[in-house]
Amino acid sequence: MKHLRSLFDLTPDDFHAITNLAISLKSRLLSGDRPDLLRNRTLALIFEKASLRTRVSFEAGMAQLGGTAIYLTGDAGWRERESIADFVRVLSEYCDFVVCRAMSQKTVNELAAHDVLPVINGLTDESHPCQALGDILTMLENSGGDLRGKQLTFLGDGNNVVRSLIKATHMVGMRFRLACPKPYQVHASYLEQIDRRFGKTDFVQSEDIQTMVDGADYLYTDVWTSMGQETENEIRKQAFLKYQLNQSVMKLAPRHCKVLHCLPARRGQEVTDDVLDSDQSIVFQQAGNRLHAQKGLLVWLAMQNGYIDTNRVKAG
Ligand code: CP
Ligand code: NVA
């Protein structure tokens, strides 16, 4: 069974197939066509952390594809009334997919280990693969459909979003630069794991902002304190102070450079209003693309897991 526990579950060909589906479904939606490729299919959503974009885009995406999404609230008793093993086996009796946003990557892995329905990672402490799919779609749209040789520079924490972006950018032939204080940089062991799986990435991390921003086509930032790290908030605010994405940093980058943020943003902290609201910012297009990328992912998983055949997707 195919899952999306992280981008380690995808080959570059899989990744391209999903983005191509996303592009096609987006253009069909814009021309008023909403093919019901997932008619009568159901998606369960389990969220251990807050969400606007991920939750609503999955729910809206399922509706547009003719299926139903079921958001599980506290009374389902997730992790309280029964084991994860029993929970997921029961879910698979009713549902065709499950999205899980979990405190720990281990939870998503454990759900998938039972192999009873496709499991999609909706963000964990370690990764955010759905975000990276939407981000690549956004950059493809802004780079004429080809990202080879383009550079993404991220300012801030080497967090879940960054870890997924390292793999995603590699799959589309981009350079990735991370400007980040040493203690928050991505661990060498994680980078080695990526290199072993996908071949050597063009990824460099440094404390030096100027060098990392040099040659950037896209500048990206995210909160300094991710969900689950709230006790470290004050110490992180100090550590990342000089990594704010503001006009001084924008001046170091080429004028054509576009600004990304996965949102939600702490305006005035990791990014200033004038940057987030500037004509270089594409953050709302980026947020919108979560919908299209995830529809591509759902249809791809449906094909991979034998729910629908490829001809049906082509025919609509
Ligand atoms: N970017 C993102 O995943 O947003 P949510 O936390 O609102 O889902
Ligand atoms: N790094 C952030 C991303 C939120 C979408 C977090 O994990 O809170």
Side-chain angles (χ1 to χ4, degrees), residues 49 101 123 128 159-161 222-223 225-227 262-264:
K49 303 180 185 184
R101 170 166 287 195
L123 178 148
H128 197 359
N159 63 13
N160 45 6
V161 170
D222 182 17
V223 292
T225 302
S226 285
M227 292 181 280
C262 57
L263 303 178

Side-chain angles (χ1 to χ4, degrees), residues 49-252:
K49 303 180 185 184
S51 172
L52 170 65
R53 281 143 288 268
T54 308
R55 174 192 174 170
V56 180
S57 54
F58 267 115
E59 292 198 21
M62 275 308 278
Q64 290 178 6
L65 289 164
T68 302
I70 305 168
Y71 185 79
L72 300 177
T73 50
D75 54 355
W78 169 245
R79 310 196 78 146
E80 281 170 10
R81 295 179 70 222
E82 53 203 307
S83 67
I84 290 182
D86 289 349
F87 197 101
V88 73
R89 278 180 284 191
V90 171
L91 267 192
S92 73
E93 295 289 326
Y94 319 128
C95 297
D96 301 296
F97 313 87
V98 59
V99 174
C100 180
R101 170 166 287 195
M103 290 293 172
S104 163
Q105 179 71 37
K106 288 197 190 83
T107 305
V108 169
N109 294 348
E110 188 178 342
L111 272 176
H114 299 286
D115 221 24
V116 285
L117 81 172
V119 174
I120 299 169
N121 174 345
L123 178 148
T124 68
D125 56 338
E126 189 185 294
S127 59
H128 197 359
C130 293
Q131 182 68 53
L133 279 167
D135 296 344
I136 294 294
L137 175 59
T138 308
M139 291 188 280
L140 279 170
E141 287 176 337
N142 282 276
S143 290
D146 187 359
L147 289 168
R148 283 171 300 177
K150 301 284 182 198
Q151 180 176 317
L152 173 66
T153 295
F154 190 103
L155 252 80
D157 189 16
N159 63 13
N160 45 6
V161 170
V162 165
R163 282 189 286 263
S164 289
L165 280 170
I166 297 173
K167 286 170 268 183
T169 49
H170 180 58
M171 293 209 224
V172 294
M174 291 183 84
R175 295 188 297 281
F176 188 19
R177 302 289 177 261
L178 171 66
C180 176
K182 199 116 206 139
Y184 299 97
Q185 291 181 4
V186 181
H187 288 159
S189 60
Y190 195 78
L191 297 173
E192 282 156 17
Q193 210 185 327
I194 298 176
D195 288 354
R196 268 199 307 276
R197 171 80 167 79
F198 299 112
K200 186 89 190 88
T201 56
D202 191 346
F203 172 73
V204 178
Q205 50 187 345
S206 158
E207 296 201 324
D208 186 60
I209 296 171
Q210 166 99 59
T211 338
M212 295 298 97
V213 167
D214 202 31
D217 298 289
Y218 295 93
L219 279 177
Y220 198 136
T221 190
D222 182 17
V223 292
W224 296 334
T225 302
S226 285
M227 292 181 280
Q229 299 171 332
E230 288 77 7
T231 56
E232 298 171 28
N233 194 32
E234 285 312 311
I235 201 161
R236 284 173 168 271
K237 263 167 47 185
Q238 292 311 313
F240 288 104
L241 211 50
K242 72 170 188 172
Y243 293 85
Q244 183 187 64
L245 182 50
N246 53 30
Q247 284 302 342
S248 322
V249 175
M250 292 306 291
K251 286 200 184 90
L252 301 174

Side-chain angles (χ1 to χ4, degrees), residues 256-271:
H256 73 266
C257 190
K258 298 269 197 322
V259 171
L260 294 154
H261 191 309
C262 57
L263 303 178
R266 297 227 170 86
R267 285 169 176 264
Q269 215 172 90
E270 77 274 3
V271 64

